[in-house]
């Protein structure tokens, strides 16, 4: 927050210096109303642009690549959830597998891994992705054990 405040102050000081320099070189802009108006506009513009920098605290984070607050950690996706539930996940593509007319990608978000079924075929391993999909569960009973898997089907 201090860095953003310092940046605003610095930009404002640069704007004021520029306005004073322009005022000296262009005598027809010497009227107070035009200079005050421009100064106010520049101030609002700088504050507006600097306020966009506060996205790091609310959702956009450069180190963890967090897009927003509505992204569901993979560990919270459970097999008991309704098959119609839609979630957003984000993470890194670890593996990919071709299917008939579709692709399957294993996504890892540091809380877990999940397979995603999609029509996209251009996702490379190691790429950061955000995917919206419906939670699905495929039951695989084998020798009296449940080996089912939760996966996402991209919308």
């Amino acid at each position: 927050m201090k860095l953003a405040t310092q940046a605003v102050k610095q930009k404002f000081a640069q704007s004021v210096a520029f306005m004073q320099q322009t005022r000296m070189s262009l005598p027809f802009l010497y009227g107070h109303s035009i200079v005050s108006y421009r100064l106010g506009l520049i101030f609002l513009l700088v504050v507006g642009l600097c306020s966009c920098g506060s996205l790091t605290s609310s959702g956009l984070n450069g180190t963890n690549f967090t897009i927003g607050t509505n992204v569901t950690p993979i560990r919270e996706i459970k097999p008991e959830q309704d098959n119609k539930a839609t979630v957003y996940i984000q993470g890194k593509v670890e593996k990919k597998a071709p299917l008939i007319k579709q692709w399957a990608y294993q996504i890892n978000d540091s809380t877990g891994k999940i397979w995603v079924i999609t029509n996209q075929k251009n996702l490379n391993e190691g790429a950061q992705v955000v995917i919206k999909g419906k939670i699905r569960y495929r039951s695989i009973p084998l020798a009296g054990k449940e080996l089912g898997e939760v996966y996402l089907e991209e919308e």
Side-chain angles (χ1 to χ4, degrees):
M1 188 66 176
K2 286 183 181 181
L3 186 60
T5 305
Q6 290 174 347
V8 169
K9 287 180 181 178
Q10 183 181 9
K11 292 289 184 184
F12 184 70
Q14 289 173 349
S15 300
V16 170
F18 176 74
M19 290 300 292
Q20 288 174 346
Q21 183 182 15
T22 305
R23 187 169 152 187
M24 298 292 262
S25 63
L26 301 172
F28 64 88
L29 292 177
Y30 194 69
H32 294 287
S33 63
I34 293 175
V35 173
S36 300
Y37 174 73
R38 284 188 172 189
L39 189 59
L41 258 163
I42 290 173
F43 176 73
L44 289 175
L45 179 65
V46 169
V47 168
L49 289 174
C50 289
S51 68
C52 291
S54 68
L55 284 175
T56 54
S57 62
S58 66
L60 187 61
N61 184 351
T63 57
N64 285 341
F65 191 65
T66 302
I67 296 297
T69 57
N70 61 347
V71 172
T72 304
I74 292 174
R75 75 169 172 261
E76 293 180 11
I77 299 175
K78 305 290 182 209
E80 300 87 35
Q81 289 182 335
D82 183 18
N83 276 347
K84 299 199 187 312
T86 300
V87 295
Y88 288 88
I89 64 163
Q90 75 175 50
K92 188 168 145 183
V93 177
E94 286 198 338
K95 297 178 184 177
K96 63 182 181 179
L99 303 173
I100 299 174
K101 296 185 181 181
Q102 290 183 318
W103 283 80
Y105 297 97
Q106 187 178 48
I107 309 298
N108 182 358
D109 75 348
S110 77
T111 67
K113 298 177 183 181
I114 193 166
W115 284 94
V116 177
I117 308 297
T118 179
N119 291 326
Q120 297 185 51
K121 47 184 153 181
N122 58 349
L123 298 179
N124 295 323
E125 291 180 16
Q128 286 284 344
V129 294
V130 176
I131 296 178
K132 176 183 177 184
K134 289 194 178 215
I135 299 172
R136 302 288 189 217
Y137 179 76
R138 181 66 58 171
S139 175
I140 305 172
L142 188 63
K145 295 182 181 179
E146 178 59 44
L147 302 174
E149 184 81 25
V150 174
Y151 65 96
L152 285 186
E153 188 174 332
E154 185 179 30
E155 292 185 329

